[in-house]
Coordinates of all heavy atoms in Angstrom, one line a residue:
M1 N 124.3 141.1 135.5 CA 123.1 142.0 135.4 C 121.9 141.2 135.2 O 121.7 140.6 134.2 CB 123.3 143.0 134.3 CG 122.2 144.0 134.1 SD 121.8 145.1 135.5 CE 120.1 145.5 135.1
A2 N 121.0 141.2 136.1 CA 119.7 140.5 136.0 C 118.7 141.3 136.7 O 118.9 142.3 137.3 CB 119.9 139.1 136.6
G3 N 117.5 140.8 136.6 CA 116.3 141.5 137.2 C 115.7 142.4 136.2 O 116.2 142.7 135.1
C4 N 114.6 143.0 136.6 CA 113.9 143.9 135.7 C 114.0 145.3 136.0 O 113.4 146.2 135.5 CB 112.4 143.5 135.7 SG 111.6 143.8 137.2
G5 N 114.9 145.7 136.9 CA 115.2 147.1 137.2 C 114.3 147.7 138.2 O 114.3 148.9 138.4
C6 N 113.5 146.9 138.9 CA 112.6 147.5 139.8 C 113.0 147.2 141.2 O 112.3 147.4 142.2 CB 111.1 147.0 139.6 SG 110.9 145.3 140.0
G7 N 114.2 146.7 141.4 CA 114.7 146.5 142.7 C 114.7 145.0 143.2 O 115.2 144.7 144.2
C8 N 114.1 144.2 142.5 CA 114.1 142.8 142.9 C 114.9 142.0 141.9 O 115.5 142.5 140.9 CB 112.7 142.2 142.9 SG 112.1 141.9 141.3
N9 N 115.0 140.7 142.1 CA 115.8 139.9 141.2 C 115.0 138.8 140.5 O 115.5 137.7 140.4 CB 116.9 139.3 142.0 CG 118.1 140.3 142.2 OD1 118.4 141.0 141.2 ND2 118.6 140.3 143.3
T10 N 113.8 139.1 140.1 CA 113.0 138.1 139.4 C 113.7 137.7 138.1 O 114.2 138.5 137.3 CB 111.7 138.7 139.0 OG1 111.0 139.0 140.2 CG2 110.9 137.7 138.2
E11 N 113.9 136.4 138.0 CA 114.5 135.9 136.7 C 113.6 134.8 136.2 O 113.3 133.8 136.9 CB 115.9 135.3 137.0 CG 116.8 136.5 137.3 CD 118.3 135.9 137.5 OE1 118.7 135.3 136.5 OE2 118.8 136.2 138.5
G12 N 113.2 134.9 135.0 CA 112.3 133.9 134.4 C 113.1 132.6 134.0 O 114.3 132.6 134.1
E13 N 112.4 131.6 133.7 CA 113.0 130.4 133.2 C 113.6 130.6 131.8 O 112.9 130.6 130.8 CB 112.0 129.3 133.1 CG 111.3 128.9 134.5 CD 112.3 128.0 135.3 OE1 112.7 127.0 134.7 OE2 112.5 128.4 136.4
G14 N 114.9 130.9 131.8 CA 115.5 131.1 130.5 C 115.3 132.4 129.9 O 115.8 132.7 128.8
G15 N 114.5 133.2 130.5 CA 114.2 134.5 129.9 C 114.6 135.6 130.8 O 115.0 135.4 131.9
G16 N 114.6 136.8 130.3 CA 115.0 137.9 131.2 C 114.6 139.2 130.5 O 114.0 139.2 129.4
P17 N 114.8 140.3 131.2 CA 114.4 141.6 130.6 C 115.1 142.0 129.3 O 114.7 142.9 128.6 CB 114.7 142.6 131.7 CG 115.7 141.9 132.6 CD 115.5 140.4 132.5
F18 N 116.2 141.3 129.0 CA 116.9 141.5 127.7 C 116.5 140.5 126.6 O 117.1 140.5 125.6 CB 118.4 141.6 127.9 CG 118.8 142.6 128.9 CD1 119.2 142.3 130.2 CD2 118.7 144.0 128.6 CE1 119.5 143.3 131.1 CE2 119.1 145.0 129.5 CZ 119.5 144.6 130.8
S19 N 115.6 139.7 126.9 CA 115.2 138.7 125.9 C 114.5 139.4 124.8 O 114.0 140.5 124.9 CB 114.3 137.6 126.6 OG 115.0 137.0 127.6
L20 N 114.3 138.6 123.7 CA 113.6 139.2 122.6 C 112.4 138.3 122.2 O 112.4 137.1 122.5 CB 114.6 139.2 121.3 CG 115.8 140.1 121.5 CD1 116.7 140.0 120.3 CD2 115.4 141.5 121.8
G21 N 111.5 138.9 121.5 CA 110.3 138.1 121.0 C 109.6 137.4 122.1 O 109.3 138.0 123.2
K22 N 109.2 136.2 121.8 CA 108.4 135.4 122.7 C 109.0 135.3 124.1 O 108.3 135.3 125.1 CB 108.1 134.0 122.1 CG 107.2 133.2 122.9 CD 106.7 132.0 122.1 CE 107.7 130.9 122.0 NZ 107.8 130.1 123.2
E23 N 110.3 135.2 124.2 CA 111.0 135.0 125.5 C 110.7 136.2 126.4 O 110.5 136.1 127.6 CB 112.5 134.8 125.3 CG 112.8 133.4 125.2 CD 114.3 133.1 125.5 OE1 115.0 134.0 125.9 OE2 114.7 132.0 125.2
L24 N 110.7 137.4 125.8 CA 110.5 138.6 126.6 C 109.0 138.6 127.1 O 108.7 138.9 128.2 CB 110.8 139.9 125.9 CG 110.5 141.1 126.9 CD1 111.7 141.3 127.8 CD2 110.2 142.3 126.2
V25 N 108.1 138.3 126.1 CA 106.7 138.2 126.4 C 106.4 137.3 127.6 O 105.7 137.6 128.6 CB 105.9 137.8 125.2 CG1 104.4 137.6 125.6 CG2 105.9 138.9 124.1
E26 N 107.1 136.1 127.6 CA 106.9 135.2 128.6 C 107.5 135.6 129.9 O 107.0 135.4 131.0 CB 107.4 133.8 128.2 CG 106.5 133.2 127.1 CD 106.9 131.8 126.7 OE1 108.1 131.5 126.8 OE2 106.0 131.1 126.2
F27 N 108.6 136.3 129.8 CA 109.3 136.9 131.0 C 108.4 137.9 131.7 O 108.1 137.8 132.9 CB 110.6 137.6 130.6 CG 111.2 138.4 131.8 CD1 111.8 137.7 132.8 CD2 111.0 139.7 131.8 CE1 112.4 138.5 133.9 CE2 111.6 140.5 132.9 CZ 112.2 139.8 133.9
V28 N 107.8 138.8 130.9 CA 106.9 139.8 131.5 C 105.7 139.2 132.0 O 105.2 139.5 133.1 CB 106.6 140.9 130.4 CG1 105.5 141.9 131.0 CG2 107.8 141.7 130.0
Y29 N 105.2 138.2 131.3 CA 104.0 137.5 131.8 C 104.1 136.9 133.1 O 103.3 136.9 134.0 CB 103.6 136.4 130.7 CG 102.3 135.8 131.0 CD1 101.1 136.3 130.7 CD2 102.2 134.5 131.7 CE1 99.8 135.7 130.9 CE2 101.0 133.9 132.0 CZ 99.8 134.5 131.6 OH 98.7 133.9 131.9
N30 N 105.3 136.3 133.3 CA 105.6 135.6 134.6 C 106.3 136.4 135.7 O 106.3 136.0 136.8 CB 106.5 134.4 134.3 CG 105.7 133.3 133.5 OD1 104.6 133.0 133.7 ND2 106.3 132.8 132.4
A31 N 106.7 137.6 135.3 CA 107.5 138.4 136.3 C 106.7 138.7 137.5 O 105.5 139.0 137.4 CB 108.0 139.7 135.6
H32 N 107.3 138.6 138.6 CA 106.7 138.9 139.9 C 105.4 138.1 140.1 O 104.4 138.7 140.5 CB 106.4 140.4 140.0 CG 107.7 141.2 140.0 ND1 107.9 142.2 140.9 CD2 108.7 141.2 139.2 CE1 109.1 142.8 140.6 NE2 109.6 142.2 139.6
E33 N 105.4 136.9 139.8 CA 104.2 136.0 139.9 C 103.1 136.6 139.2 O 101.9 136.5 139.6 CB 103.9 135.9 141.4 CG 104.8 134.9 142.2 CD 106.1 135.6 142.7 OE1 105.9 136.8 143.2 OE2 107.1 135.1 142.5
G34 N 103.3 137.2 138.1 CA 102.3 137.7 137.2 C 101.7 139.0 137.6 O 100.6 139.4 137.1
T35 N 102.3 139.7 138.5 CA 101.7 141.0 139.0 C 102.2 142.2 138.1 O 101.7 143.3 138.2 CB 102.1 141.3 140.4 OG1 103.5 141.4 140.5 CG2 101.6 140.3 141.4
V36 N 103.2 142.0 137.2 CA 103.7 143.1 136.4 C 102.9 143.3 135.2 O 102.6 144.4 134.7 CB 105.2 142.8 136.0 CG1 105.7 143.8 135.0 CG2 106.1 142.9 137.3
R37 N 102.4 142.2 134.6 CA 101.8 142.2 133.3 C 100.6 143.1 133.1 O 100.4 143.7 132.1 CB 101.5 140.8 132.7 CG 100.5 140.1 133.6 CD 100.3 138.7 133.0 NE 99.2 138.0 133.8 CZ 99.5 136.9 134.5 NH1 100.7 136.4 134.6 NH2 98.5 136.3 135.1
D38 N 99.9 143.3 134.2 CA 98.7 144.1 134.1 C 98.8 145.5 134.7 O 97.9 146.3 134.9 CB 97.5 143.4 134.9 CG 97.1 142.1 134.2 OD1 97.2 142.1 132.9 OD2 96.7 141.2 134.8
K39 N 100.1 145.8 135.1 CA 100.3 147.1 135.7 C 100.4 148.2 134.7 O 101.0 148.1 133.6 CB 101.7 147.1 136.4 CG 101.6 146.7 137.9 CD 102.9 147.0 138.6 CE 102.8 146.4 140.0 NZ 104.2 146.4 140.6
P40 N 99.7 149.3 135.0 CA 99.9 150.5 134.1 C 101.4 150.9 134.1 O 102.0 150.8 135.1 CB 99.0 151.6 134.7 CG 98.1 150.9 135.6 CD 98.8 149.6 136.1
M41 N 101.9 151.3 133.0 CA 103.3 151.7 132.9 C 103.5 152.9 133.7 O 102.8 153.9 133.6 CB 103.6 152.0 131.4 CG 103.7 150.7 130.6 SD 104.5 150.9 129.1 CE 103.5 149.9 128.0
A42 N 104.6 152.9 134.5 CA 104.9 154.0 135.4 C 105.1 155.3 134.6 O 104.8 156.4 135.1 CB 106.2 153.6 136.2
R43 N 105.7 155.2 133.4 CA 106.0 156.4 132.6 C 104.8 156.7 131.7 O 105.0 157.6 130.8 CB 107.2 156.2 131.9 CG 108.5 156.0 132.8 CD 109.7 155.9 131.9 NE 110.7 155.1 132.6 CZ 111.8 154.6 132.0 NH1 112.1 155.0 130.7 NH2 112.7 153.9 132.6
G44 N 103.7 156.0 131.8 CA 102.6 156.3 130.9 C 102.6 155.4 129.7 O 103.5 154.7 129.4
S45 N 101.4 155.3 129.1 CA 101.2 154.4 128.0 C 102.1 154.8 126.8 O 102.5 156.0 126.7 CB 99.8 154.3 127.6 OG 99.3 155.6 127.3
I46 N 102.3 153.8 125.9 CA 103.1 154.1 124.7 C 102.3 153.7 123.5 O 101.5 152.8 123.5 CB 104.5 153.4 124.7 CG1 104.3 151.9 124.9 CG2 105.4 154.0 125.8 CD1 105.6 151.1 124.8
E47 N 102.5 154.4 122.4 CA 101.9 154.1 121.2 C 102.8 153.2 120.4 O 104.0 153.5 120.2 CB 101.6 155.4 120.4 CG 100.5 156.2 121.0 CD 100.2 157.5 120.2 OE1 100.3 157.4 119.0 OE2 99.8 158.4 120.9
V48 N 102.3 152.1 119.9 CA 103.1 151.1 119.2 C 102.4 150.7 117.9 O 101.2 151.0 117.7 CB 103.4 149.9 120.1 CG1 104.1 150.3 121.3 CG2 102.1 149.1 120.4
T49 N 103.1 150.1 117.1 CA 102.5 149.5 115.9 C 102.6 148.0 116.0 O 103.6 147.4 116.3 CB 103.3 150.0 114.6 OG1 103.3 151.4 114.5 CG2 102.7 149.3 113.4
C50 N 101.4 147.4 115.8 CA 101.4 145.9 115.9 C 102.4 145.3 115.0 O 102.4 145.6 113.8 CB 100.0 145.4 115.6 SG 99.9 143.6 115.6
Q51 N 103.2 144.4 115.5 CA 104.2 143.7 114.7 C 103.6 142.5 113.9 O 104.3 141.9 113.2 CB 105.4 143.4 115.5 CG 106.2 144.6 116.1 CD 107.3 144.3 117.1 OE1 108.0 143.3 116.9 NE2 107.4 145.0 118.1
G52 N 102.4 142.3 114.2 CA 101.7 141.2 113.5 C 100.9 141.7 112.3 O 101.1 141.2 111.2
C53 N 100.1 142.7 112.5 CA 99.2 143.2 111.4 C 99.5 144.7 111.1 O 98.9 145.2 110.1 CB 97.8 143.0 111.8 SG 97.2 144.1 113.1
G54 N 100.3 145.4 111.8 CA 100.7 146.7 111.4 C 99.7 147.8 111.9 O 99.8 149.0 111.6
S55 N 98.7 147.4 112.7 CA 97.8 148.4 113.3 C 98.4 149.1 114.4 O 99.1 148.5 115.3 CB 96.5 147.7 113.8 OG 95.8 147.0 112.7
P56 N 98.2 150.4 114.5 CA 98.6 151.1 115.7 C 97.7 150.9 116.8 O 96.5 150.8 116.7 CB 98.6 152.6 115.2 CG 97.5 152.6 114.1 CD 97.5 151.3 113.5
F57 N 98.3 150.8 118.0 CA 97.5 150.7 119.2 C 98.3 151.2 120.4 O 99.5 151.5 120.3 CB 97.0 149.2 119.4 CG 98.0 148.2 119.8 CD1 98.1 147.8 121.2 CD2 98.8 147.7 118.9 CE1 99.1 146.9 121.5 CE2 99.8 146.7 119.3 CZ 99.9 146.3 120.6
V58 N 97.6 151.4 121.5 CA 98.3 151.9 122.7 C 98.5 150.9 123.7 O 97.5 150.1 124.1 CB 97.4 153.1 123.3 CG1 98.0 153.6 124.6 CG2 97.3 154.2 122.3
M59 N 99.7 150.7 124.2 CA 100.0 149.8 125.3 C 99.9 150.6 126.6 O 100.6 151.5 126.8 CB 101.4 149.2 125.1 CG 101.5 148.1 124.1 SD 103.2 147.4 124.0 CE 103.2 146.4 125.5
E60 N 99.0 150.2 127.4 CA 98.9 150.9 128.7 C 99.5 150.0 129.8 O 99.7 150.5 130.9 CB 97.4 151.1 129.0 CG 96.7 152.1 128.0 CD 95.3 152.3 128.2 OE1 94.7 151.5 129.0 OE2 94.7 153.2 127.6
T61 N 99.7 148.8 129.5 CA 100.3 147.9 130.5 C 101.5 147.2 129.8 O 101.7 147.3 128.6 CB 99.3 146.8 130.9 OG1 98.8 146.2 129.8 CG2 98.2 147.4 131.7
Y62 N 102.4 146.6 130.6 CA 103.6 146.1 130.1 C 103.4 144.9 129.2 O 104.3 144.5 128.4 CB 104.6 145.6 131.3 CG 105.0 146.8 132.1 CD1 104.5 147.0 133.4 CD2 105.9 147.7 131.6 CE1 104.8 148.1 134.1 CE2 106.3 148.8 132.4 CZ 105.7 149.0 133.6 OH 106.1 150.1 134.4
L63 N 102.2 144.3 129.2 CA 101.9 143.2 128.3 C 100.5 143.6 127.7 O 99.6 143.9 128.5 CB 101.9 141.9 129.1 CG 101.7 140.7 128.1 CD1 102.6 139.6 128.6 CD2 100.3 140.2 128.1
A64 N 100.4 143.6 126.4 CA 99.2 144.0 125.8 C 99.0 143.3 124.5 O 99.9 142.8 123.9 CB 99.2 145.5 125.5
Q65 N 97.7 143.2 124.1 CA 97.4 142.5 122.9 C 96.8 143.5 121.9 O 96.1 144.4 122.2 CB 96.3 141.4 123.2 CG 96.9 140.2 123.9 CD 95.9 139.1 124.1 OE1 95.2 139.1 125.2 NE2 95.7 138.2 123.2
C66 N 97.2 143.3 120.6 CA 96.6 144.1 119.6 C 95.1 143.9 119.5 O 94.7 142.8 119.5 CB 97.3 143.7 118.3 SG 96.5 144.5 116.8
P67 N 94.4 145.0 119.5 CA 92.9 144.9 119.4 C 92.4 144.3 118.0 O 91.3 143.9 117.9 CB 92.4 146.3 119.6 CG 93.6 147.2 119.3 CD 94.8 146.4 119.6
E68 N 93.3 144.4 117.0 CA 92.9 144.0 115.7 C 93.1 142.5 115.5 O 92.2 141.7 115.1 CB 93.7 144.7 114.6 CG 93.3 146.2 114.5 CD 91.9 146.4 114.1 OE1 91.4 145.6 113.2 OE2 91.2 147.3 114.6
C69 N 94.3 142.0 115.8 CA 94.7 140.6 115.5 C 95.0 139.8 116.8 O 95.2 138.6 116.7 CB 95.9 140.5 114.6 SG 97.4 141.0 115.3
G70 N 95.0 140.4 118.0 CA 95.2 139.7 119.2 C 96.7 139.4 119.4 O 97.0 138.6 120.3
G71 N 97.6 139.9 118.6 CA 99.0 139.7 118.7 C 99.5 140.2 120.1 O 99.1 141.2 120.6
V72 N 100.3 139.3 120.8 CA 100.7 139.6 122.1 C 102.1 140.4 122.1 O 103.0 139.9 121.5 CB 100.9 138.3 122.9 CG1 101.3 138.6 124.4 CG2 99.6 137.5 122.9
H73 N 102.1 141.5 122.7 CA 103.3 142.3 122.8 C 103.7 142.6 124.2 O 102.8 142.6 125.1 CB 103.1 143.7 122.1 CG 102.8 143.6 120.6 ND1 101.6 143.0 120.1 CD2 103.5 144.0 119.6 CE1 101.7 143.1 118.8 NE2 102.8 143.7 118.4
A74 N 104.9 142.7 124.5 CA 105.4 143.1 125.8 C 106.6 144.0 125.7 O 107.3 144.0 124.7 CB 105.7 141.8 126.6
V75 N 106.8 144.7 126.8 CA 108.0 145.6 126.9 C 108.6 145.4 128.3 O 107.9 145.2 129.3 CB 107.6 147.0 126.6 CG1 106.7 147.6 127.7 CG2 108.8 147.9 126.3
A76 N 109.9 145.5 128.3 CA 110.6 145.4 129.6 C 110.3 146.5 130.5 O 110.4 147.7 130.1 CB 112.2 145.3 129.3
P77 N 109.9 146.2 131.7 CA 109.5 147.3 132.6 C 110.5 148.4 132.9 O 110.2 149.5 133.1 CB 109.2 146.5 133.9 CG 108.9 145.2 133.5 CD 109.7 144.9 132.3
M78 N 111.8 148.0 132.7 CA 112.8 149.0 133.0 C 113.0 150.0 131.9 O 113.6 151.0 132.1 CB 114.2 148.3 133.3 CG 114.6 147.5 132.1 SD 116.0 146.4 132.6 CE 116.3 145.8 131.0
N79 N 112.6 149.7 130.7 CA 112.8 150.6 129.7 C 111.6 150.5 128.7 O 111.8 150.1 127.5 CB 114.1 150.4 128.9 CG 114.5 151.6 128.1 OD1 114.0 152.6 128.2 ND2 115.5 151.4 127.3
P80 N 110.4 150.9 129.1 CA 109.2 150.8 128.3 C 109.1 151.8 127.2 O 108.3 152.8 127.3 CB 108.1 150.8 129.3 CG 108.6 151.7 130.4 CD 110.1 151.5 130.4
V81 N 109.8 151.7 126.1 CA 109.7 152.6 125.0 C 109.3 151.8 123.8 O 109.6 150.6 123.7 CB 111.1 153.3 124.7 CG1 111.4 154.3 125.9 CG2 112.2 152.4 124.5
P82 N 108.7 152.4 122.8 CA 108.2 151.6 121.6 C 109.3 150.8 121.0 O 109.0 149.7 120.5 CB 107.7 152.7 120.7 CG 107.3 153.8 121.6 CD 108.3 153.8 122.7
E83 N 110.5 151.3 121.0 CA 111.6 150.5 120.3 C 111.9 149.2 121.0 O 112.5 148.3 120.4 CB 112.9 151.3 120.3 CG 112.8 152.7 119.5 CD 112.1 153.8 120.3 OE1 112.6 154.1 121.4 OE2 111.1 154.3 119.8
N84 N 111.5 149.1 122.2 CA 111.8 147.9 123.0 C 110.7 146.9 123.0 O 110.8 145.9 123.7 CB 112.2 148.2 124.4 CG 113.6 148.9 124.4 OD1 114.4 148.7 123.5 ND2 114.0 149.6 125.5
V85 N 109.6 147.2 122.4 CA 108.4 146.3 122.4 C 108.7 145.1 121.6 O 109.3 145.1 120.5 CB 107.2 147.0 121.8 CG1 106.0 146.0 121.7 CG2 106.7 148.2 122.7
Q86 N 108.4 143.9 122.2 CA 108.7 142.7 121.6 C 107.3 142.0 121.3 O 106.4 142.1 122.0 CB 109.5 141.8 122.5 CG 110.9 142.3 122.8 CD 111.8 142.4 121.6 OE1 111.8 141.5 120.8 NE2 112.5 143.5 121.4
F87 N 107.3 141.3 120.2 CA 106.1 140.6 119.7 C 106.3 139.1 119.8 O 107.4 138.6 119.4 CB 105.9 141.0 118.2 CG 104.8 140.3 117.5 CD1 103.5 140.3 118.1 CD2 105.0 139.7 116.3 CE1 102.5 139.7 117.4 CE2 103.9 139.1 115.6 CZ 102.7 139.1 116.2
A88 N 105.3 138.4 120.3 CA 105.5 137.0 120.6 C 105.4 136.1 119.4 O 105.7 135.0 119.4 CB 104.5 136.6 121.6
G89 N 104.8 136.7 118.3 CA 104.6 135.9 117.1 C 103.2 135.7 116.8 O 102.3 135.8 117.7
K90 N 102.9 135.5 115.5 CA 101.5 135.5 115.1 C 100.6 134.4 115.7 O 99.5 134.6 115.9 CB 101.4 135.4 113.6 CG 101.9 136.7 112.9 CD 101.5 136.7 111.4 CE 102.0 138.0 110.8 NZ 101.3 138.4 109.6
D91 N 101.2 133.3 116.0 CA 100.5 132.2 116.5 C 100.5 132.1 118.0 O 99.9 131.1 118.5 CB 100.9 130.9 115.8 CG 100.8 130.9 114.3 OD1 99.7 131.4 113.9 OD2 101.6 130.3 113.6
Y92 N 101.1 133.0 118.6 CA 101.3 132.9 120.1 C 100.0 133.3 120.8 O 99.3 134.2 120.5 CB 102.4 133.8 120.6 CG 102.7 133.7 122.0 CD1 103.4 132.6 122.5 CD2 102.2 134.6 122.9 CE1 103.6 132.5 123.9 CE2 102.4 134.5 124.3 CZ 103.1 133.4 124.8 OH 103.4 133.3 126.1
K93 N 99.6 132.4 121.7 CA 98.5 132.7 122.6 C 98.9 132.7 124.0 O 99.7 131.9 124.4 CB 97.4 131.7 122.4 CG 96.8 131.7 121.0 CD 95.5 132.5 120.9 CE 94.8 132.4 119.6 NZ 95.6 132.7 118.4
L94 N 98.4 133.6 124.8 CA 98.7 133.6 126.2 C 98.2 132.3 126.9 O 97.2 131.8 126.5 CB 98.1 134.8 126.9 CG 98.7 136.2 126.5 CD1 97.9 137.3 127.2 CD2 100.2 136.2 127.0
P95 N 99.0 131.8 127.8 CA 98.6 130.6 128.5 C 97.2 130.7 129.2 O 96.8 131.8 129.6 CB 99.6 130.4 129.6 CG 100.8 131.3 129.2 CD 100.3 132.4 128.4
Ligands
ZN101 ZN1 97.7 143.3 115.2

């Protein structure tokens, strides 16, 4: 089982849609040559709590940053629910 559930077989370097933390963030960042990360979520935005500073914010795309602390969060496109949001870590900065 691989791929992100959208019909293609994109596989990141060592990461995948079931990765956790920074690996998932990097998977989403790189998925489909970077065309996934800025896409509005097909099922609508989700409300999440920043795993870095605890501030609530709304993720409208599969990869989003907390407006308070800049913490990078991502969610697997195939199951974008708040429980599946992964946090890259406090010191992580997007490439
Ligand atoms: Zn934050």
Side-chain angles (χ1 to χ4, degrees):
M1 176 64 200
C4 64
C6 68
C8 78
N9 279 319
T10 296
E11 290 182 58
E13 297 279 309
F18 299 106
S19 299
L20 299 176
K22 184 164 80 71
E23 271 199 7
L24 182 83
V25 171
E26 291 183 334
F27 170 77
V28 173
Y29 185 84
N30 293 312
H32 298 228
E33 285 82 45
T35 58
V36 168
R37 61 182 184 246
D38 295 325
K39 271 193 188 166
M41 290 194 219
R43 297 184 210 169
S45 56
I46 54 175
E47 290 180 30
V48 300
T49 299
C50 175
Q51 294 174 41
C53 71
S55 296
F57 70 103
V58 176
M59 281 182 78
E60 295 177 347
T61 52
Y62 296 108
L63 189 138
Q65 287 180 271
C66 169
E68 292 296 321
C69 71
V72 183
H73 296 67
V75 68
M78 63 191 181
N79 198 10
V81 294
E83 297 77 58
N84 287 341
V85 171
Q86 298 295 318
F87 176 50
K90 289 195 179 203
D91 297 324
Y92 185 79
K93 295 266 189 303
L94 289 174

